[in-house]
Amino acid sequence: TLGVKTRKLGYGYLEIVGRYSQDGFDADTSSLAGLKNRQTSIPLGIGTMQVTPIGAFFIDAFHDVNASGGNLLEVIYVGKLDASGLTFYPLLGAEYRSKEYVRYYYGISSQEAATSPYAAYQPAGALNPLMGLMADARLTEEYHLNFYLRRRWLDRSIQDSPIVNQKFLDTGFVALSYRFK
């Protein structure tokens, strides 16, 4: 998620936000035969990062300006714990995906049901809780090594889709970062 600050708001700023997302897929595999490709979303909207004395709060509201035309809302709390050269950032939050968004990516239209082995499926919106942890290891004043893990539990409206066979999604990465002065 990338934001551009606009005006001061509480402990942070009101931001114009966009997100890089990889939720689209090509249906050119045998298991998805008869389904249409799903284009990757282009979520644009407004948001804020509020760095308060008790932690940081991220609130973002997006509209997919691409094919789904759906909306996303995400609220995340991030704490901070320092421990001898390491800083831990536990996070807890939830995301809401509108029915238009969920139907585009996980639904099966009646036309697709007629040409695939799947029954028609028209899901509702989804509320997906999430939890994660980021660790920051200071290597030098400028260089830091970051570790990130997050689990997002999928709402029943997504889990029940005939093309979904899992209950959660895990995300993780390791990064070397440079901090400019």
Side-chain angles (χ1 to χ4, degrees):
T1 303
L2 181 64
V4 176
K5 295 177 182 177
T6 61
R7 63 181 328 151
K8 185 83 173 133
L9 177 69
Y11 287 97
Y13 291 86
L14 180 64
E15 299 176 356
I16 305 298
V17 292
R19 177 170 286 172
Y20 174 72
S21 185
Q22 294 180 303
D23 43 15
F25 60 88
D26 289 333
D28 59 359
T29 66
S30 60
S31 64
L32 298 175
L35 301 184
K36 295 177 184 170
N37 293 341
R38 306 303 201 260
Q39 294 179 13
T40 293
S41 65
I42 302 174
L44 299 175
I46 60 171
T48 186
M49 178 179 78
Q50 299 289 312
V51 182
T52 75
I54 61 167
F57 295 87
F58 295 83
I59 304 168
D60 295 305
F62 300 99
H63 177 74
D64 178 13
V65 298
N66 209 359
S68 84
N71 298 311
L72 296 94
L73 175 65
E74 187 174 74
V75 177
I76 297 176
Y77 167 76
V78 180
K80 181 179 179 182
L81 305 166
D82 288 311
S84 65
L86 284 173
T87 304
F88 295 97
Y89 299 95
L91 61 97
L92 187 63
E95 68 170 16
Y96 173 76
R97 295 177 176 206
S98 70
K99 70 179 178 184
E100 294 82 10
Y101 194 93
V102 176
R103 284 182 181 172
Y104 180 75
Y105 289 104
Y106 306 104
I108 307 293
S109 69
S110 55
Q111 295 88 354
E112 289 175 317
T115 61
S116 76
Y118 301 111
Y121 181 66
Q122 295 298 306
L127 182 63
N128 303 312
L130 57 94
M131 186 167 54
L133 179 67
M134 181 174 160
D136 180 273
R138 184 176 154 210
L139 303 175
T140 68
E141 193 65 32
E142 295 86 13
Y143 287 96
H144 291 247
L145 191 59
N146 303 117
F147 303 91
Y148 179 79
L149 291 171
R150 182 177 81 176
R151 174 164 283 184
R152 180 176 46 190
W153 288 271
L154 301 176
D155 186 279
R156 294 296 311 183
S157 65
I158 295 174
Q159 287 181 41
D160 290 345
S161 170
I163 61 172
V164 174
N165 60 4
Q166 55 196 67
K167 295 182 180 194
F168 55 84
L169 291 174
D170 290 330
T171 303
F173 67 80
V174 177
L176 179 63
S177 63
Y178 181 84
R179 299 200 179 164
F180 295 93
K181 299 276 177 190

